[in-house]
Amino acid sequence: MTAPVITIDGPAGSGKGTISQRVAAALGWHLLDSGALYRLVGVALMRDGGAPEEEARAARLAGQMDVVFEPVGERTVVWLNGDDVTEAIRTEVASAMSSRMGAIPAVRSALLARQRAFAQAPGLVADGRDMGTVVFPQAPLKIFLTASAEERAQRRHKQLKAKGESVNIADLLRDLQARDERDSQRAVSPLVAAEDAVIVDTTGIGIDDVTERVLLLARQRGLA
Ligand code: C5P
């Protein structure tokens, strides 16, 4: 029997990352931040001196890169080929690059087995865009988080400000909408809710309430 999986998909800024972390911690389950893998491919390609158009090179790096997610207290330190890239994968440049990488079919297939390997006992919370549709279609609980683009841009603005980065909110909204557009229009694994996903609109709802809602659904399905 493979381990049970809860998939949490949705657009950038929908709260997926935080909610997935909280749910995984509450259940004592593993966590897969699949977006980090696409970010890692982008950073690996930039470090290799490659351009986003070089699809075969990106796919080769996606297959070869040595990645370690190291939990340190509340945070996760991310290692790429022995370098700490925790911050480097979160920059705006890396964000834009990651959605270019996500549109390359060969990159997506190179990452598939790596993602499925995270499904280990006692269970996995998988955060991404296609967790419920492509990577873990058999998951017993699928959540699709949404929120208005304005609220998502505001959340991102707050996060960046807390890190001391000053970014114009109008620019953030524009980048976020461009990323949404690319993620939902691409031919392979576009961002869509799985047919059997529970859609949760988080606009105006706090993290604690959303987490509780997901945990309640998990209990109702006998997962917790
Ligand atoms: O979730 P995060 O914002 O870190 O994801 C970065 C990018 O990686 C997304 O914009 C998307 O293009 C891509 N991605 C994807 N499939 C996933 C997770 C992320 O295509 N499962």
Side-chain angles (χ1 to χ4, degrees), residues 4 24 29 47 56 64 73 80 111 125 139 142-143 146 159 164 185 187 201 206 222-223:
W29 286 15
R47 293 190 167 196
Q64 289 174 351
L80 170 64
L111 293 179
V125 177
K142 301 178 183 178
I143 307 289
T146 61
Q159 273 177 358
Q185 301 304 320
D201 187 341
L223 298 170

Side-chain angles (χ1 to χ4, degrees), residues 171-191:
D171 289 346
L172 274 179
L173 181 61
R174 200 197 49 232
D175 290 353
L176 200 132
Q177 284 169 328
R179 203 136 70 91
D180 280 1
E181 168 90 16
R182 225 175 3 237
D183 289 352
S184 9
Q185 301 304 320
R186 69 180 174 225
V188 280
S189 307
L191 172 66

Side-chain angles (χ1 to χ4, degrees), residues 12 16 33-36 38-39 90 95 98-99 102 108 115 127-131 179 183 186:
K16 279 175 298 135
D33 171 3
S34 62
Y38 289 90
R39 290 170 181 274
R90 299 290 160 199
S95 296
S98 64
S99 84
R108 303 202 74 85
Q115 295 177 84
D127 151 7
R129 302 289 187 293
D130 62 342
M131 297 297 100
R179 203 136 70 91
D183 289 352
R186 69 180 174 225

Side-chain angles (χ1 to χ4, degrees), residues 34-52 54-67 69 78-81 85 88-89 93-94 96-104 106-112 114-115:
S34 62
L37 292 175
Y38 289 90
R39 290 170 181 274
L40 282 158
V41 178
V43 169
L45 183 62
M46 287 190 282
R47 293 190 167 196
D48 202 47
E54 291 179 82
E55 303 198 350
R57 188 170 180 177
R60 181 174 49 78
L61 291 167
Q64 289 174 351
M65 63 186 184
D66 173 24
V67 173
F69 292 104
V78 184
W79 298 90
L80 170 64
N81 302 328
V85 293
I89 61 167
V93 177
M97 194 71 175
S98 64
S99 84
R100 303 280 302 263
M101 298 301 103
I104 304 173
V107 167
R108 303 202 74 85
S109 39
L111 293 179
L112 202 54
R114 208 189 267 266
Q115 295 177 84

